[in-house]
Amino acid sequence: MQTLGNILLVGAGGFVGSAARYSVSLLVKGIGWEWKWPLVTFLVNLLGSLLIGILWAKAMQVPEPRILLT
């Protein structure tokens, strides 16, 4: 059952990443900038990594961080 949960978490992460890339590409096109696709992907991945790092750092400040990892 743990494997199914992990698969669903990976799928949810993929969904969020794909939706973010698509949204940023629409935003960039709406502004009128002529960025190419790899740059948008890099920007979303960079911002996503930063967000994950911030959330992880906050989670480690909890007295029992193991609860967040189960």
Side-chain angles (χ1 to χ4, degrees):
M1 192 64 170
Q2 174 116 10
T3 303
L4 178 60
N6 289 341
I7 290 170
L8 292 174
L9 282 174
V10 169
F15 170 77
V16 170
S18 298
R21 281 184 200 92
Y22 182 70
S23 298
V24 169
S25 69
L26 290 179
L27 177 69
V28 166
K29 286 179 185 176
I31 292 174
W33 293 345
E34 292 298 323
W35 286 5
K36 301 296 181 193
W37 170 77
L39 188 54
V40 171
T41 301
F42 174 73
L43 179 63
V44 170
N45 288 348
L46 184 68
L47 292 174
S49 298
L50 179 65
L51 180 62
I52 289 171
I54 290 169
L55 291 174
W56 187 262
K58 290 291 184 187
M60 292 297 106
Q61 293 175 353
V62 175
E64 286 292 327
R66 291 176 296 158
I67 294 172
L68 299 173
L69 301 175
T70 58

